[in-house]
Amino acid sequence: MSSALKIYNTLTRSKELFEPIDCKNVRIYVCGPTVYDYAHIGNARPIIVFDLLFRLLRHLYGAAHVKYVRNITDVDDKINARAAERGVTIRELTEKTNQIFQEDVEALGCLDPTVQPRATDHIVQMVQIIERLISAGHAYAADQHVLFNVPSMQRYGQLSRRSLDEMLAGARVDVAPYKRGDMDFVLWKPSQLNEPGWDSPWGRGRPGWHVECSAMSWAHLGEIFDIHGGGIDLIFPHHENEIAQSCCAFDREIMAHYWMHNGFLQVEGEKMSKSLGNFITIHGLLHSDCFGGRAWAGAILRLAMLRTHYRQPIDWTVKALEDAANVYNDWMRAIDCVQPSEPTEEFIAALSDDLNFAKAEVHLHILKRSNPGALAACLDFIGFQSHEPSSLAQSKQAQLAKIGLTKSDLEQLISERIEARLTKNWAESDRIRNQLESLGITLKDNKDGTTSWMLSS
RNA sequence: GGCCUCGUGGCGGAGUGGCUACGCAGAGGACUGCAAAUCCUUGUACUCCGGUUCGAAUCCGGACGAGGCCUCCA
């Protein structure tokens, strides 16, 4: 079985063999969050999906040879509006939001990207790109704004596969007096004194929406790189405009070779929206009972997310989380006290087929019986390593501490119960078992007469 | 209106021309004081209608349905 990586490329709308520009320096960029509010569960999808890809690339090319950049957009009009609304400074808002985001992502079992650049640290590069675009005739300054002149780029619309005519037919574009073409989009715009702004050749202002990604990918990955990822909704206009900016600024045919997009998420069959009241955040799922009446471990959320192929639409349901929890707990029991060996080739090969997790999951079920060590290694591989034997022991200890029992207290209770069972005192036996169950500890009577304990799931 | 996805058993979800995965849930059984866990058994599905073919869930055409984008959005 071959582990050659194949990925679906939105540019060509087909699955292609992945061939890096430089196998010693594989480069991937993923559009990260705009930090103005708690990240919702839809935001978690690209984070998890591309974390899986990152892990796979590290395996295939070596951890030192993969560079993963996921940006943090900390300048945006939504941020300005939210900060004003809450009466906090922009810096306070973006710092706090980013901190929660980082905690959420860690709980979801994601590795840190190689670099997490911030938009506000790359204003210089943005200005440079804009200057290049102007001098190449692809952008123009007008009325304190700088706009990208869409008709100046013949290939515009290549990624989203739409022609300028079609786009204009939709015709709900902003009409502004300073625009030459209806589709032209803003690279730079003036800031009021109460808005964040930077000095530039066009006056004090701030960047438009798309240019930050062109600047940050350039700064950290170069003019051209391997993979660019994000949600499917970003294809147009965000990624289309990034391509336009980068290709025209650097006079390149392409910006990234492979464009990958994850599908959308719905909640219990409906679009997630604040008005429907089904807007759920990662934070809420992890730390409250807002969904399904209980909190969910990050690993459960991660597994539930991965079980649907990343390009398919996913329906986020309580049932899917319960299923994922069942499967996950099953695996954890199977690898309790097992030393991880190596992930199997079949498993890697399945993932290498455009991240076909469902196909890979089959091998996990097989390994559960035939080779727990390999199962543990496969689970480690895909980011479930928080439950290595040592940390399972740790979480058992933590639970004891939480309920105020020492290990010998527990052992005492267990042996009392064994006594009771020997004298067929079932009432006492059940009383002890129920008492511990209510404290989050499940007892299990083994066939040899011993009793072991585990954390309740 | 334009463009783009998708439609598999109760649920999730592989499978791109023949051998009809896998998991969850359910049912039956073994074991057990009862549980839990484990093990065994059990599931013949592919939206509809045409077409191509010896043969289609899989290819082609059409219908219906769901979702997305075209405007901020992962």
Short mmCIF file of all heavy atoms in Angstrom, two decimals, chain A residues 3 21 26 30 32 55 67 76 95 97 180 244 279 283 285 335 348 370 390 406-407 429-430:
data_model
loop_
_atom_site.label_atom_id
_atom_site.label_comp_id
_atom_site.label_asym_id
_atom_site.label_seq_id
_atom_site.Cartn_x
_atom_site.Cartn_y
_atom_site.Cartn_z
N SER A 3 1.86 5.17 0.59
CA SER A 3 1.52 6.29 1.45
C SER A 3 1.72 7.62 0.75
O SER A 3 1.80 8.66 1.39
CB SER A 3 2.36 6.25 2.73
OG SER A 3 1.89 5.24 3.57
N ILE A 21 7.25 21.79 -3.37
CA ILE A 21 8.26 22.56 -4.09
C ILE A 21 9.64 22.12 -3.60
O ILE A 21 10.56 21.92 -4.38
CB ILE A 21 8.07 24.07 -3.82
CG1 ILE A 21 6.70 24.52 -4.35
CG2 ILE A 21 9.20 24.88 -4.46
CD1 ILE A 21 6.24 25.88 -3.82
N VAL A 26 8.48 22.01 3.41
CA VAL A 26 7.10 21.94 2.96
C VAL A 26 6.32 23.05 3.67
O VAL A 26 6.39 23.17 4.89
CB VAL A 26 6.50 20.56 3.28
CG1 VAL A 26 5.05 20.48 2.82
CG2 VAL A 26 7.33 19.46 2.63
N VAL A 30 -2.73 28.49 6.60
CA VAL A 30 -4.16 28.33 6.85
C VAL A 30 -4.69 29.62 7.46
O VAL A 30 -4.06 30.21 8.34
CB VAL A 30 -4.43 27.14 7.81
CG1 VAL A 30 -5.89 27.10 8.23
CG2 VAL A 30 -4.04 25.83 7.14
N GLY A 32 -6.43 31.77 9.83
CA GLY A 32 -6.79 31.63 11.24
C GLY A 32 -7.91 32.58 11.62
O GLY A 32 -8.56 33.16 10.76
N ARG A 55 0.20 17.05 10.90
CA ARG A 55 0.80 15.86 11.50
C ARG A 55 1.22 14.86 10.43
O ARG A 55 2.28 14.25 10.52
CB ARG A 55 -0.20 15.20 12.45
CG ARG A 55 -0.45 15.99 13.72
CD ARG A 55 -1.64 15.42 14.49
NE ARG A 55 -1.95 16.21 15.66
CZ ARG A 55 -1.39 16.03 16.86
NH1 ARG A 55 -0.51 15.06 17.04
NH2 ARG A 55 -1.72 16.80 17.87
N LYS A 67 6.65 23.60 7.53
CA LYS A 67 6.37 24.89 8.16
C LYS A 67 4.90 25.21 7.99
O LYS A 67 4.39 25.29 6.86
CB LYS A 67 7.23 25.98 7.52
CG LYS A 67 7.14 27.31 8.29
CD LYS A 67 8.23 28.27 7.84
CE LYS A 67 8.23 29.53 8.70
NZ LYS A 67 9.18 30.53 8.21
N ASP A 76 -9.46 44.55 12.24
CA ASP A 76 -10.66 44.27 11.47
C ASP A 76 -11.78 45.14 12.03
O ASP A 76 -11.81 45.41 13.22
CB ASP A 76 -11.02 42.78 11.63
CG ASP A 76 -12.26 42.41 10.84
OD1 ASP A 76 -13.39 42.61 11.34
OD2 ASP A 76 -12.09 41.92 9.71
N GLU A 95 -6.28 40.52 22.71
CA GLU A 95 -5.43 39.69 23.56
C GLU A 95 -6.24 38.62 24.28
O GLU A 95 -5.88 37.45 24.30
CB GLU A 95 -4.72 40.56 24.61
CG GLU A 95 -3.54 41.35 24.09
CD GLU A 95 -2.47 40.46 23.48
OE1 GLU A 95 -2.13 39.42 24.08
OE2 GLU A 95 -1.99 40.81 22.39
N THR A 97 -9.27 37.51 23.57
CA THR A 97 -9.89 36.56 22.65
C THR A 97 -8.87 35.56 22.13
O THR A 97 -9.15 34.37 22.03
CB THR A 97 -10.53 37.32 21.46
OG1 THR A 97 -11.36 38.35 21.98
CG2 THR A 97 -11.36 36.38 20.61
N ARG A 180 -13.01 52.41 -9.67
CA ARG A 180 -13.00 52.40 -11.14
C ARG A 180 -13.87 51.26 -11.67
O ARG A 180 -14.61 51.41 -12.62
CB ARG A 180 -11.58 52.22 -11.66
CG ARG A 180 -10.76 53.48 -11.52
CD ARG A 180 -9.41 53.32 -12.19
NE ARG A 180 -8.48 54.29 -11.64
CZ ARG A 180 -7.17 54.24 -11.79
NH1 ARG A 180 -6.63 53.23 -12.46
NH2 ARG A 180 -6.40 55.15 -11.26
N ALA A 244 -5.09 37.21 -6.27
CA ALA A 244 -4.92 38.38 -7.12
C ALA A 244 -3.80 39.28 -6.59
O ALA A 244 -2.90 39.70 -7.33
CB ALA A 244 -6.24 39.15 -7.20
N PHE A 279 -26.11 28.78 18.26
CA PHE A 279 -24.73 29.22 18.07
C PHE A 279 -23.89 28.64 19.20
O PHE A 279 -24.08 28.98 20.36
CB PHE A 279 -24.70 30.75 18.09
CG PHE A 279 -23.40 31.33 17.63
CD1 PHE A 279 -23.20 31.59 16.29
CD2 PHE A 279 -22.39 31.61 18.53
CE1 PHE A 279 -22.01 32.14 15.85
CE2 PHE A 279 -21.20 32.16 18.10
CZ PHE A 279 -21.01 32.42 16.76
N HIS A 283 -15.54 26.92 23.39
CA HIS A 283 -15.43 27.12 24.83
C HIS A 283 -16.66 26.57 25.55
O HIS A 283 -16.54 25.89 26.58
CB HIS A 283 -15.27 28.62 25.11
CG HIS A 283 -14.69 28.93 26.43
ND1 HIS A 283 -13.34 28.81 26.69
CD2 HIS A 283 -15.25 29.32 27.60
CE1 HIS A 283 -13.10 29.12 27.95
NE2 HIS A 283 -14.25 29.44 28.51
N LEU A 285 -18.75 24.23 24.56
CA LEU A 285 -18.79 22.77 24.50
C LEU A 285 -17.85 22.15 25.52
O LEU A 285 -18.15 21.14 26.15
CB LEU A 285 -18.40 22.30 23.09
CG LEU A 285 -19.46 22.52 22.01
CD1 LEU A 285 -18.83 22.39 20.63
CD2 LEU A 285 -20.59 21.51 22.17
N ILE A 335 -6.45 0.65 25.24
CA ILE A 335 -5.02 0.98 25.30
C ILE A 335 -4.57 1.37 26.70
O ILE A 335 -3.45 1.81 26.89
CB ILE A 335 -4.65 2.11 24.32
CG1 ILE A 335 -5.36 3.41 24.69
CG2 ILE A 335 -4.95 1.71 22.89
CD1 ILE A 335 -4.83 4.62 23.93
N ILE A 348 -1.74 4.99 7.84
CA ILE A 348 -1.15 6.17 7.22
C ILE A 348 -1.62 6.30 5.77
O ILE A 348 -1.93 7.40 5.29
CB ILE A 348 0.39 6.07 7.24
CG1 ILE A 348 0.91 5.91 8.67
CG2 ILE A 348 1.03 7.28 6.56
CD1 ILE A 348 0.74 7.10 9.55
N SER A 370 -6.49 -6.64 17.55
CA SER A 370 -5.30 -7.38 17.11
C SER A 370 -3.99 -6.79 17.62
O SER A 370 -3.01 -7.50 17.76
CB SER A 370 -5.28 -7.45 15.59
OG SER A 370 -5.11 -6.14 15.06
N SER A 390 0.66 7.00 31.12
CA SER A 390 1.05 7.82 32.24
C SER A 390 0.00 8.89 32.55
O SER A 390 -0.32 9.14 33.70
CB SER A 390 2.38 8.49 31.95
OG SER A 390 2.26 9.30 30.81
N THR A 406 -8.05 9.26 49.24
CA THR A 406 -6.70 8.80 48.93
C THR A 406 -6.82 7.43 48.27
O THR A 406 -7.86 6.80 48.29
CB THR A 406 -5.85 8.64 50.21
OG1 THR A 406 -6.42 7.59 50.98
CG2 THR A 406 -5.82 9.93 51.00
N LYS A 407 -5.72 7.01 47.72
CA LYS A 407 -5.74 5.73 47.04
C LYS A 407 -6.03 4.60 48.03
O LYS A 407 -6.74 3.65 47.74
CB LYS A 407 -4.38 5.50 46.34
CG LYS A 407 -4.51 4.46 45.25
CD LYS A 407 -3.29 4.44 44.36
CE LYS A 407 -3.47 3.35 43.30
NZ LYS A 407 -2.23 3.06 42.60
N SER A 429 -22.78 -4.22 49.15
CA SER A 429 -21.94 -4.22 47.96
C SER A 429 -22.40 -3.16 46.97
O SER A 429 -21.60 -2.37 46.45
CB SER A 429 -22.00 -5.62 47.34
OG SER A 429 -21.67 -5.56 45.98
N ASP A 430 -23.71 -3.12 46.74
CA ASP A 430 -24.24 -2.15 45.77
C ASP A 430 -24.15 -0.73 46.30
O ASP A 430 -23.96 0.22 45.55
CB ASP A 430 -25.70 -2.49 45.43
CG ASP A 430 -25.80 -3.78 44.61
OD1 ASP A 430 -24.74 -4.24 44.14
OD2 ASP A 430 -26.91 -4.30 44.44
#
